[in-house]
Amino acid sequence: FVAVAFLALATPAFSADFADPTWPCVQRKVERLSIGLMWPAEIPQMKLSPETGRAVDDLAELLVLRRVDPEDARAEVATFASDQGAGLPLMGVVFRKVFDKVSQRRTRIIDGIGTFSLNQISLSGRIDSARSEMETVMAAAEPDYDRADALEEQIDWDQRIYSDRQKTITYLCETPTLLEKRLYAIAQILQEAAGS
């Protein structure tokens, strides 16, 4: 009962964004990012040589990797700029490819957070229903103790699952923000290489 009471107290905090009850994060939900907020100029459609096109694709693939730290990214961008040129339009083409890939990943994560939230809400409802049934069973003139024991076991198990899942929510909620920060950092690195 203590665990279920704790759940009842914790549930209102689960929906931080009241406009979207399926969003459990403290951070405001921004479903789609805008490339224009991170890049200072319009990115032109450029016809690239096959060699430059491959170099752009390779650099973009490398910059997307979260294991590549900013200093390594800066070195790779400097090498690219030395080999292919460092103009803002070309760096913009690289950034657009990085932006598209990271944005797609971020969208999948946000969709996953929504699914996670719906599952938690459903599990919370199941716990509440079991608790209500248990109260009804125990209030009967002749309580069905076997059913009460089964319900108590179900409540304990579901509460454990709910709590274990809830421990991951901070990490899940931080991931889209970390991806946004990475995109911004990559934009800065590319702009620096372009001399802007």
Side-chain angles (χ1 to χ4, degrees), residues 17-35:
D17 182 354
F18 298 107
D20 183 353
T22 66
W23 185 248
C25 304
V26 173
Q27 300 90 334
R28 190 170 61 90
K29 184 178 183 180
V30 179
E31 292 196 43
R32 300 280 181 267
L33 298 177
S34 169
I35 195 169

Side-chain angles (χ1 to χ4, degrees), residues 93-138:
V93 171
V94 173
F95 183 66
R96 182 173 52 220
K97 287 185 175 287
V98 172
F99 180 88
D100 289 346
K101 289 177 182 298
V102 174
S103 291
Q104 288 169 10
R105 180 185 303 159
R106 183 181 173 279
T107 298
R108 287 194 303 270
I109 290 168
I110 287 175
D111 291 345
I113 290 171
T115 300
F116 170 91
S117 179
L118 288 172
N119 288 339
Q120 288 291 83
I121 290 168
S122 174
L123 188 54
S124 175
R126 176 178 150 135
I127 292 168
D128 286 344
S129 294
R131 188 172 74 175
S132 294
E133 185 183 347
M134 188 169 178
E135 288 172 359
T136 301
V137 167
M138 294 306 293

Side-chain angles (χ1 to χ4, degrees), residues 59 62-63 65 68-79 182 185-186 189-190:
L59 180 60
L62 183 84
L63 295 177
L65 300 174
V68 177
D69 66 49
E71 290 312 309
D72 289 340
R74 191 169 275 109
E76 293 293 336
V77 169
T79 300
R182 180 163 183 84
I186 290 168
I189 291 168
L190 291 167

Side-chain angles (χ1 to χ4, degrees), residues 138-194:
M138 294 306 293
E142 294 184 12
D144 181 347
Y145 292 108
D146 288 340
R147 179 61 183 156
D149 288 346
L151 286 167
E152 185 175 23
E153 187 176 333
Q154 177 191 320
I155 290 167
D156 287 346
W157 180 251
D158 287 346
Q159 177 61 45
R160 190 175 303 122
I161 292 170
Y162 182 96
S163 298
D164 287 347
R165 286 180 184 167
Q166 201 64 10
K167 290 174 187 173
T168 66
I169 196 62
T170 300
Y171 170 78
L172 289 174
C173 288
E174 286 175 352
T175 304
T177 303
L178 292 174
L179 291 174
E180 291 164 32
K181 288 180 179 177
R182 180 163 183 84
L183 272 175
Y184 182 76
I186 290 168
Q188 296 301 305
I189 291 168
L190 291 167
Q191 289 171 50
E192 287 168 13

